[in-house]
Amino acid sequence: MMNDDTGTFRDEVRQWLEENCPEEMRSPMLSDKDACWGGRNFTFQSEAQRLWLERMSARGWTAPDWPTEYGGGGLDSEQLKILKQEMARIKARPALYSFGISMLGPALLKYGNEEQKQKFLPPIVRGEIRWAQGYSEPNAGSDLANLQAPAVDMGDHYLLNGSKIWTSYGDEGDWMFCLVRTDQQAPKHRGISFMLFDMKTPGITVRPIKLISGRSPFCEVFFEDVKIPREQQVGELNKGWEIAKYLLTHEREMISWSGLSTSGTRSVSETATDFIGLNQAKLDDAMLRGDIARFEMNEMAFALTIERARDEVKAGVSLGAVSSWFKFYGTELNKQRYNLLMDIHGIEALAWRGAESQDGKLARDWLRTKGNSIEGGTSEIQLNIVAKHILGLPG
Amino acid sequence: MTLVLNEEQVMLRDAASDFLNSRAPVSHFRELRDNRDEIGFSTGLWAEMVEMGWSSIIIPEQYGGLDYGYTGLGLVLQECGRTLSPSPLISTSLLGASALLLSGNEGQCEHWLPGICSGETLLTTAFDESPLHRPALVNTVAVPEDGGYRINGAKLAVPDGKTADAFIISARTPEADASNGSLSLFLVPAGTTGLHLDSTPVLDNRHLCSLKLEDVFVSQAHRLGQADQGLQLLEAVLDRGRIGMAAEMLGIAQECFKRTVEYLKERKQFGVPIGSFQALQHRAATLFGEIELSKSVVLRALQAIDENSDQVPVLASLAKAKCGLTAELATAESIQMHGGIGMTDEFDLGFFIKRWRSLNQQLGDARYHLDRFASLRGY
C-alpha cells in the first residue's frame, strides 16, 4: 500500500541511509563480536561502528517506534516497516543490540512513571547503558513465579538478598531490571515487584556459567544487602508479575524471529550445495536433500506465518498467547537448522579450536541452540500456554 | 499483498460456510455414500452451488463469470473440506476452467466457459498414465491427420469422468522431441468415437475413471495452446489444481482439529476431562501450529495465482506438501484421540481421513512435492 506520504518517507530514509551508513556497516556480520551492544564498558570494533551508532541514535532510529520525547524515532508501523526494508536493502547492520530496547523499554513505556521514563529511556536509545535481565532463580525456572529473592522495605530504599541465575551477559550489564519478592505472605504471583539497579551497587557479585559450548553467555548474580532506592521500583508494588508477563511476551517474540535465517546469511540448502555439490541438478546426498527440503518447507511456512501475524496485528487482531507458539516453533526450527548444518559439514563440523574454524564456531553455535528451547520458557511451557489459553483445554 | 482476507473474501467464505452447513453437511455426504450413488456428487446440490456462483468464481465477467479470483475459489474449497461436500468444483471449475483460461484461445473460451458458469457444462482433466503422479511421462500419442489429430493412449485417475462433457488430455506428437518433454493438450468431447470410460468408486466415494483413447479424432480447433509446448501449460494447470486441493486438505485438517479439541474437553476418564492430560495437550497444541503454518501457505499460494507471480510453482509444491502432511497428522490424531469411537463407520472421522488420502494421492503427494520444491529451489 504505497501512497504519496510513504513514498516520500521512503525516499527520505533511502537518502539519509545513503549519506549516513558507513560502508563497513553494509555487510553481514562475520562473528558475534561485530554486534554492537553499547554500554559503559563497550569497546567499539571500529570507528565506523561507533559512528553508525551515534548517527542512528541521534535520529532516534535505534528505537524507531518509541516516542520522540524519550529519544525515539516516533515512527508509525508503516514507516517502521519501510525503515527495516530500506536497511535490509543496503544490508545495513543493526546499529545496536539491546535488551533495553527490546525488553525493558516497552515495559517502562507501559508501566513506568514519567520521571523513570525521562531518566532511563534516552540513555537506552543512545546505547549508553547496557541492561541485564534478572528473572530466573535456582528454584524458579519454568515456575518463574516461585522466585524468592527478598527485597525488604527499609523506608527510602529496599534491601535485596538472594540470587539470580541464567542472566544473559550478566557480567557485561551496567544495570539490571529484576523481579524480586516484596511480600512473603501473599500468594506467589501477588508478592513480586519490578526493580532497577546499577550493577556497581555494593553487595552484587557476578559469576559466569560455562556452558556445553565452552562459552559463557549466562551468569549467576548474588545479592548481599543490596540497597535499591525507592524511586527505582517500577509500576505498582507487588504487581510485578504483570510486567514480567508483558516482558516475557516481548522476549518470546524476539526469540522466535531467530528461527528465520536473516538476510545475508546463507540458507541451509545453499550451504549444502556449496559444500556437497550437485549431481544432475540435485544435491549429491539424496537422504540429506529430503531432510533439507522438509526443513525449508517449514522454514518458509513459518516466515509466511510471521508475515501473516504481523498483517493481522496491523489489521487490529491481537496476537496474545500465539506468541508462545511462535517462540516454540521458531526455536525448534533453529535447532533443526543447526543439526542440518552440522550434518552437512561432516567431520569438519567437529572442529573446536583454531583460526580456520573460528574456534569451532559452528559446533559451538550448534550446542548453543540446544538452549533456545529452554530459555525464555521451555518448549513444554509454551505448549502448555497454547493448550490452555488458545485451545481452552482444562487444568 | 497482505496476508489478511479482504471484506469481499470474508463475505464469500462466510456465505460458503453457511450454505454448506445447512445444505451439504457431512450427513449429506453420508447419504450419498450409503446409497452408493453413481457419480460421486448430487446434481441437485451442484445446481445450488452454481446458483451461488461457485462454478464461475475464477472466470472473467466477459464469459459470465464472477471474477473473484483463485483466492475466492480456494476459500470455498477450504469450506468444502470442512463439510466434505462433494461436487465437480475441482474437476470443472478449477482444473477445466484453468486449462481454458491459461491456454488463451479466445474461441475456445467463448465456446466452453459460459456453459461452465451456467452449470450446463462439466469438464475434467485426464493427465496421469501411471499410479504415481508423473505428468511428463506421457505415452498417449497424437498424430496429425486431415487438419486434426488421431489420438491413441490411456489415462488414469480422471476425476468426475462419468459426468464430464469433455476431457482435457495430454498427448505427445510423434515429431516432438520426447527428451525435452514437449507435449500438447487437447480437448476431447465426451461421446467422441473411440473414447472408452471405465469408472471406479474409490475410498472417498468419488469416482476416479480410467480413459482409453482408440483412434480418437479431434480437429485442430480442439488443441489447447501451442503444439508441443504443452508441458508448461500442463504444469500451470496442475499447480492451480494442487493449490486448490491443498485448500481442501486444510479445511479437512481444521475440521478434524476442531472436533478433537471439543472432544478433549467433553470426554471424561479417571474422573477428569482427557484434555487436562499434558500428553494430549501438547499434541493438540502442536497440531494447532501445523494448521497455522498451513493457513499462511495456502493463502499466499492462492494470492500468488491471482497476482500471476512467478512463485506459483514453488508455492504450489509448498502448499500441496505442507497441507498434505498437516491433514495426515490431523486426521490420524483425531482418530487416536477419539479412541475406539473414532474407528467406527457411524462416526464421521473416517470420512475425513479417506478424503485426505484421496487428495494426497492426486496430483502428487507430499514426497513428490518436497522433491519438486527442492528442485525448483535449485538443489
Side-chain angles (χ1 to χ4, degrees):
Chain A
M1 276 207 245
M2 179 85 160
N3 58 39
D4 283 355
D5 287 349
T6 59
T8 315
F9 180 73
R10 188 181 293 278
D11 294 340
E12 210 182 291
V13 170
R14 194 171 286 194
Q15 194 185 341
W16 188 87
L17 288 174
E18 203 46 63
E19 288 164 6
N20 289 281
C21 182
E23 202 53 46
E24 301 96 300
M25 295 292 109
R26 300 189 194 190
S27 60
M29 294 191 295
L30 296 176
S31 78
D32 297 344
K33 286 176 193 149
D34 290 338
C36 173
W37 287 91
R40 292 193 293 232
N41 302 317
F42 187 72
T43 318
F44 289 101
Q45 297 288 302
S46 64
E47 175 59 13
Q49 192 184 44
R50 193 196 62 76
L51 208 58
W52 182 221
L53 172 62
E54 184 182 284
R55 289 170 176 172
M56 281 290 276
S57 58
R59 182 98 203 210
W61 283 357
T62 44
D65 54 350
W66 290 9
T68 48
E69 53 188 308
Y70 306 120
L75 304 189
D76 62 29
S77 60
E78 197 60 36
Q79 292 171 321
L80 179 64
K81 192 169 151 189
I82 290 170
L83 175 62
K84 284 182 181 168
Q85 285 169 347
E86 288 302 314
M87 284 181 65
R89 198 178 58 82
I90 61 164
K91 299 193 174 68
R93 295 179 188 177
L96 179 65
Y97 285 82
S98 162
F99 294 151
I101 287 167
S102 58
M103 296 198 276
L104 175 61
L108 275 180
L109 283 167
K110 193 169 160 85
Y111 298 99
N113 61 36
E114 191 52 37
E115 201 187 322
Q116 290 166 337
K117 290 185 204 175
Q118 295 286 359
K119 179 175 175 189
F120 294 110
L121 292 174
I124 290 176
V125 174
R126 294 193 296 266
E128 289 167 2
I129 297 293
R130 183 166 178 180
W131 285 86
Q133 180 195 52
Y135 270 31
S136 295
E137 294 179 12
N139 287 314
S142 286
D143 183 12
L144 182 61
N146 190 41
L147 61 93
Q148 301 298 335
V152 180
D153 192 343
M154 305 297 281
D156 66 336
H157 68 271
Y158 293 93
L159 208 56
L160 176 63
N161 280 282
S163 70
K164 291 288 168 184
I165 194 169
W166 306 123
T167 305
S168 305
Y169 308 111
D171 50 345
E172 291 170 47
D174 302 315
W175 276 64
M176 174 177 273
F177 53 95
C178 191
L179 293 174
V180 299
R181 184 151 301 279
T182 39
D183 189 334
Q184 307 285 344
Q185 267 71 51
K188 61 181 181 180
H189 293 92
R190 292 192 210 128
I192 295 170
S193 298
F194 192 86
M195 295 190 184
L196 315 175
F197 50 84
D198 193 324
M199 294 291 278
K200 279 189 190 155
T201 315
I204 300 178
T205 317
V206 180
R207 196 162 69 199
I209 304 165
K210 189 170 173 181
L211 298 187
I212 54 176
S213 61
R215 298 176 187 146
S216 303
F218 298 107
C219 295
E220 281 179 286
V221 182
F222 301 92
F223 308 117
E224 209 185 318
D225 289 338
V226 177
K227 277 188 188 175
I228 305 173
R230 204 171 185 84
E231 62 272 18
Q232 287 169 207
Q233 184 244 316
V234 178
E236 270 186 70
L237 192 68
N238 294 323
K239 296 235 171 113
W241 184 245
E242 195 188 327
I243 307 180
K245 277 196 301 184
Y246 178 75
L247 257 172
L248 282 172
T249 310
H250 269 268
E251 186 182 6
R252 273 183 223 134
E253 282 169 19
M254 196 175 67
I255 293 174
S256 65
W257 308 149
S258 73
L260 293 171
S261 50
T262 44
S263 61
T265 58
R266 294 182 71 60
S267 72
V268 172
S269 60
E270 286 168 333
T271 307
T273 304
D274 288 350
F275 199 82
I276 296 171
L278 302 180
N279 182 5
Q280 295 186 321
K282 292 187 179 190
L283 187 69
D284 201 5
D285 185 327
M287 302 294 277
L288 179 61
R289 177 175 179 267
D291 288 349
I292 292 175
R294 200 174 272 255
F295 167 77
E296 290 194 343
M297 165 186 77
N298 288 326
E299 186 185 43
M300 200 186 259
F302 187 58
L304 287 169
T305 305
I306 287 175
E307 191 182 333
R308 182 163 64 87
R310 286 181 177 154
D311 288 342
E312 283 172 359
V313 167
K314 241 187 270 173
V317 183
S318 110
L319 194 57
V322 181
S323 69
S324 281
W325 177 78
F326 279 106
K327 197 275 174 183
F328 159 73
Y329 202 83
T331 55
E332 295 296 330
L333 263 186
N334 204 40
K335 289 196 296 184
Q336 288 173 31
R337 169 180 300 114
Y338 276 89
N339 268 339
L340 288 167
L341 289 173
M342 287 296 282
D343 292 345
I344 287 165
H345 288 88
I347 293 296
E348 274 190 27
L350 307 182
W352 195 250
R353 271 192 288 270
E356 203 177 332
S357 67
Q358 292 182 13
D359 275 333
K361 182 173 183 336
L362 176 59
R364 290 171 197 265
D365 285 350
W366 164 66
L367 287 162
R368 176 66 187 84
T369 62
K370 298 300 171 198
N372 293 163
S373 48
I374 299 170
E375 61 207 297
T378 62
S379 282
E380 289 72 20
I381 289 287
Q382 307 309 330
L383 292 176
N384 284 351
I385 294 172
V386 171
K388 271 178 211 140
H389 297 287
I390 300 177
L391 307 183
L393 293 174
Chain B
M1 188 174 284
T2 65
L3 282 166
V4 185
L5 298 180
N6 64 32
E7 215 169 303
E8 192 184 59
Q9 289 161 345
V10 171
M11 275 170 59
L12 180 66
R13 184 197 61 196
D14 292 349
S17 172
D18 290 347
F19 171 81
L20 292 168
N21 280 302
S22 69
R23 302 295 301 144
V26 181
S27 56
H28 166 82
F29 171 74
R30 179 179 290 279
E31 207 179 305
L32 284 175
R33 197 279 312 252
D34 288 348
N35 294 332
R36 300 203 172 187
D37 86 295
E38 290 295 313
I39 56 171
F41 63 91
S42 143
T43 49
L45 178 68
W46 177 239
E48 289 183 62
M49 289 181 172
V50 170
E51 195 72 21
M52 299 281 291
W54 293 358
S55 60
S56 71
I57 292 177
I58 63 166
I59 297 173
E61 285 171 15
Q62 64 184 109
Y63 305 114
L66 280 184
D67 206 6
Y68 277 178
Y70 284 86
T71 307
L73 181 53
L75 292 171
V76 170
L77 286 169
Q78 195 178 332
E79 294 304 316
C80 289
R82 301 190 77 134
T83 47
L84 293 173
S85 313
S87 75
L89 267 178
I90 289 181
S91 54
T92 298
S93 317
L94 178 58
L95 287 165
S98 291
L100 284 159
L101 288 168
L102 287 163
S103 72
N105 182 311
E106 191 61 28
Q108 287 164 342
C109 285
E110 269 169 16
H111 185 265
W112 293 98
L113 292 177
I116 293 180
C117 295
S118 69
E120 285 161 52
T121 306
L122 294 177
L123 294 183
T124 190
T125 49
F127 298 141
D128 276 330
E129 299 187 3
S130 63
L132 292 165
H133 182 58
R134 301 285 181 267
L137 186 83
V138 174
N139 292 312
T140 299
V141 177
V143 181
E145 182 186 311
D146 299 334
Y149 293 88
R150 184 72 65 186
I151 307 175
N152 280 282
K155 296 287 180 183
L156 289 177
V158 182
D160 303 325
K162 255 178 148 176
T163 43
D165 296 296
F167 300 85
I168 295 164
I169 67 146
S170 53
R172 205 174 283 289
T173 51
E175 60 268 34
D177 178 4
S179 63
N180 73 6
S182 22
L183 300 171
S184 305
L185 297 193
F186 298 94
L187 215 148
V188 184
T192 304
T193 313
L195 201 59
H196 308 287
L197 192 73
D198 196 14
S199 176
T200 331
V202 290
L203 86 172
D204 61 345
N205 201 51
R206 268 45 166 205
H207 289 244
L208 284 182
C209 305
S210 53
L211 195 64
K212 235 187 223 140
L213 301 105
E214 281 178 346
D215 288 332
V216 168
F217 182 81
V218 292
S219 72
Q220 282 280 359
H222 285 83
R223 197 186 68 225
L224 288 182
Q226 299 291 306
D228 305 331
Q229 312 274 314
L231 187 58
Q232 228 182 340
L233 172 60
L234 173 61
E235 284 291 351
V237 175
L238 289 172
D239 279 339
R240 281 147 183 81
R242 290 158 178 160
I243 293 168
M245 286 182 175
E248 189 176 338
M249 289 195 287
L250 170 59
I252 289 172
Q254 287 178 298
E255 185 63 22
C256 287
F257 180 61
K258 186 183 136 224
R259 291 178 182 219
T260 302
V261 171
E262 280 166 10
Y263 189 72
L264 291 177
K265 293 176 189 173
E266 232 161 62
R267 168 74 173 170
K268 285 190 178 167
Q269 289 286 274
F270 308 103
V272 292
I274 59 173
S276 63
F277 300 136
Q278 199 179 36
L280 298 185
Q281 289 186 345
H282 284 190
R283 281 159 61 182
T286 305
L287 188 50
F288 161 82
E290 294 301 310
I291 289 171
E292 288 303 306
L293 294 166
S294 301
K295 278 157 75 174
S296 320
V297 164
V298 166
L299 184 53
R300 174 47 49 88
L302 289 165
Q303 290 176 342
I305 312 176
D306 286 328
E307 289 165 3
N308 221 354
S309 157
D310 60 3
Q311 294 298 300
V312 168
V314 80
L315 287 167
S317 280
L318 175 66
K320 188 70 168 49
K322 186 66 203 174
C323 293
L325 292 167
T326 298
E328 176 175 14
L329 182 68
T331 51
E333 286 284 70
S334 69
I335 291 178
Q336 179 65 24
M337 293 197 210
H338 276 81
I341 196 172
M343 284 298 292
T344 61
D345 182 71
E346 194 188 336
F347 215 64
D348 290 339
L349 290 177
F351 291 154
F352 287 94
I353 198 169
K354 289 172 193 168
R355 179 63 180 155
W356 158 72
R357 182 49 90 177
S358 175
L359 289 166
N360 184 62
Q361 243 77 342
Q362 293 179 61
L363 308 192
D365 63 10
R367 219 169 271 110
Y368 176 93
H369 284 290
L370 280 172
D371 175 69
R372 183 169 178 260
F373 175 79
S375 290
L376 288 166
R377 285 166 62 88
Y379 64 96

